[in-house]
Amino acid sequence: MGFVYAVLGGGRQGTAAAYDMAKNGDADRVLVGDADLEAAVRSAARVNTLLGRSVAEAHQVDARDSAALRRFLEPVDSFLSAVPYWLNPSVLEAAIDAKACMCDLGGNTDLVREQMKRSDAAEAAGIAVVPDCGQVPGMGTALMSYAMTFLDRTEELLMWDGGNDQHPKPPFNYILTFNIAGLTNEYYGVAHFLRNGKRVEVPTFLEEDYETVDFGGKIGVMEAFVAGGGTSTMPWTYEGKVRTLWNKTLRWPGHFAQWKAYMDAGLLEEEPVDVDGVQVSPRALLHRVLDPKLRARPEDRDFVIVRVKGIGEKDGLRAEVLLDLIDYYDEATGFTAMERTTGWDGSITAILNAQGVTPRGVHPVELAVPGKRFAEELRKRGFSLKESFTIHRD
């Protein structure tokens, strides 16, 4: 007997996750639930067409209706929540009631820390819950854990990541392959890092944290800067154990200056302002105006980079590990690189939950997902994960 999986939210990332669960998760069924039944039907039909068998089922379910959600989850072994991050705490309660293992795409570290307070209840229900399982945090977090397995003692964990257009076009040189609210949520506020072993809050878009990184080949130089949320709970987990931990977002040159101007102008603030007698949220207006200009078109092709560097000691000598995952739009399935790296990270965790690999209760990625096993799962799916390990003997 195989497993019954579910995806809550039949959009881009949810569909990619449902496909991977069905293909790689020993699945009997994959339930795709969405408040919009047509979206669920389209998602399930795409999965079934790609796999050539009827394994995905469409269901209409509103994540805000706790009773309906609990009924939807009762036959499920493990599921991914791909709904907006602010719904995940209530989704967790339904998962506990239904005794269904859960992971989610996260998006807000404060809410993740609130979810972790329900660990005892989840453990009592016999389920594993792993929040913040997207591209970064999520895939990047697990790769940081993998980097640590190369070292006896880790002093520094550094990460650069980003999804971008393979062929950037002015004036923005950027395409949006996920909800714009997720982008502005990352760009506005603070990031949580470790510096000198202590957790610190670092404002986003500071010029002193800006740098360029040369990836060589057809990619070349990209700019890197601080955005929020990418480290998730790792600064709390490793405070006092790792000296330095941070991540930076990668974009084509010019993006930083463009978005910093929006921020300096107050366009990412949420507090409404009066415009000719009408109360308007600057951020909501920015979303409405920019989304159609940034939204990826069918002919656009994206790519994702996740680079992780770990520095520390091995056998008493200074050592360094460098991991590079670069993924491109998949012409065979039509899944974007962002869908693959986000949705498939969520599905990998959901599968590990179902298989009993992850601990019961609510645990962050860095404590729940074994780094070496995660790297194996990435390679099983055809991801290009390059690694180099250097021991400095001088």
Side-chain angles (χ1 to χ4, degrees):
M1 289 289 291
F3 298 108
V4 177
Y5 295 100
V7 171
L8 190 61
R12 288 172 170 266
Q13 325 302 343
T15 302
Y19 167 84
D20 186 65
M21 291 170 177
K23 183 177 181 181
N24 295 304
D26 189 23
D28 279 345
R29 293 188 294 157
V30 178
L31 315 183
V32 180
D34 200 291
D36 180 352
L37 181 58
E38 291 185 3
V41 169
R42 286 194 302 270
S43 176
R46 183 179 178 191
V47 171
N48 291 335
T49 298
L50 285 171
L51 293 175
R53 63 188 179 104
S54 294
V55 61
E57 306 171 2
H59 294 259
Q60 186 171 26
V61 58
D62 190 332
R64 297 166 295 184
D65 184 337
S66 58
L69 180 57
R70 186 173 62 253
R71 289 193 298 271
F72 171 73
L73 293 175
E74 281 175 352
V76 171
D77 294 302
S78 183
F79 76 99
L80 169 68
S81 173
V83 298
Y85 64 84
W86 53 86
L87 295 175
N88 284 325
S90 61
V91 173
L92 171 58
E93 296 306 315
I96 292 171
D97 290 343
K99 295 181 169 57
C101 292
M102 171 184 171
C103 59
D104 64 55
L105 297 184
N108 184 285
T109 304
D110 290 338
L111 289 184
V112 170
R113 287 171 53 76
E114 286 299 313
Q115 288 173 271
M116 289 171 62
K117 295 177 181 178
R118 297 293 287 151
S119 186
D120 288 346
E123 185 176 4
I127 64 171
V129 179
V130 187
D132 252 1
C133 297
Q135 181 238 335
V136 170
M139 178 177 285
T141 313
L143 286 175
M144 280 183 152
S145 296
Y146 180 48
M148 294 177 76
T149 67
F150 288 77
L151 303 165
D152 295 331
R153 184 172 68 86
T154 303
E155 297 176 1
E156 298 183 60
L157 279 173
L158 318 175
M159 176 168 60
W160 300 260
D161 75 276
N164 290 278
D165 191 352
Q166 291 184 33
H167 309 287
K169 295 170 284 295
F172 300 106
N173 294 324
Y174 180 73
I175 55 173
L176 194 61
T177 55
F178 56 99
N179 194 315
I180 192 171
L183 184 73
T184 52
N185 180 62
E186 293 172 3
Y187 280 7
Y188 189 81
V190 298
H192 296 277
F193 293 166
L194 290 177
R195 290 178 174 171
N196 296 316
K198 300 293 185 181
R199 182 171 50 84
V200 296
E201 293 185 352
V202 178
T204 60
F205 278 80
L206 289 181
E207 291 183 358
E208 54 261 41
D209 291 316
Y210 175 92
E211 65 176 337
T212 58
V213 183
D214 191 348
F215 290 92
K218 63 181 180 180
I219 296 175
V221 175
M222 304 198 78
E223 58 183 20
F225 55 89
V226 171
T231 58
S232 189
T233 55
M234 292 189 83
W236 284 266
T237 301
Y238 293 117
E239 186 169 16
K241 301 172 184 176
V242 174
R243 186 178 70 239
T244 303
L245 185 150
W246 53 251
N247 89 289
K248 295 182 181 182
T249 295
L250 294 167
R251 295 288 185 255
W252 292 116
H255 187 97
F256 176 85
Q258 202 169 55
W259 278 85
K260 191 173 189 314
Y262 298 152
M263 293 183 68
D264 291 345
L267 292 176
L268 270 74
E269 295 174 9
E270 296 182 285
E271 187 68 26
V273 297
D274 184 276
V275 180
D276 296 332
V278 178
Q279 294 296 302
V280 178
S281 163
R283 189 184 298 193
L285 176 61
L286 184 72
H287 289 174
R288 182 62 61 91
V289 172
L290 267 188
D291 190 295
K293 295 178 172 62
L294 299 178
R295 180 62 51 191
R297 300 166 299 181
E299 66 271 21
D300 288 330
R301 299 291 182 263
D302 71 331
F303 75 108
V304 166
I305 299 174
V306 181
R307 167 172 283 186
V308 170
K309 179 184 286 188
I311 302 171
E313 289 185 359
K314 180 68 175 178
D315 298 330
L317 299 172
R318 187 154 184 81
E320 180 177 308
V321 56
L322 183 67
L323 306 175
D324 268 339
L325 184 145
I326 302 178
D327 193 55
Y328 293 88
Y329 179 100
D330 183 33
E331 299 290 347
T333 62
F335 287 126
T336 66
M338 185 60 69
E339 289 166 349
R340 287 160 52 90
T341 54
T342 303
W344 290 10
D345 179 78
S347 62
I348 289 172
T349 308
I351 291 167
L352 296 180
N353 282 347
Q355 293 175 342
V357 174
T358 51
R360 307 298 94 168
V362 184
H363 300 281
V365 172
E366 63 269 18
L367 297 180
V369 178
K372 289 184 178 179
R373 174 65 181 273
F374 183 77
E376 292 172 3
E377 294 294 330
L378 290 180
R379 292 192 170 99
K380 174 181 175 182
R381 288 158 175 80
F383 283 109
S384 174
L385 177 59
K386 296 181 180 180
E387 55 191 54
S388 64
F389 182 57
T390 305
I391 295 179
H392 300 282
R393 302 185 181 278
D394 50 353

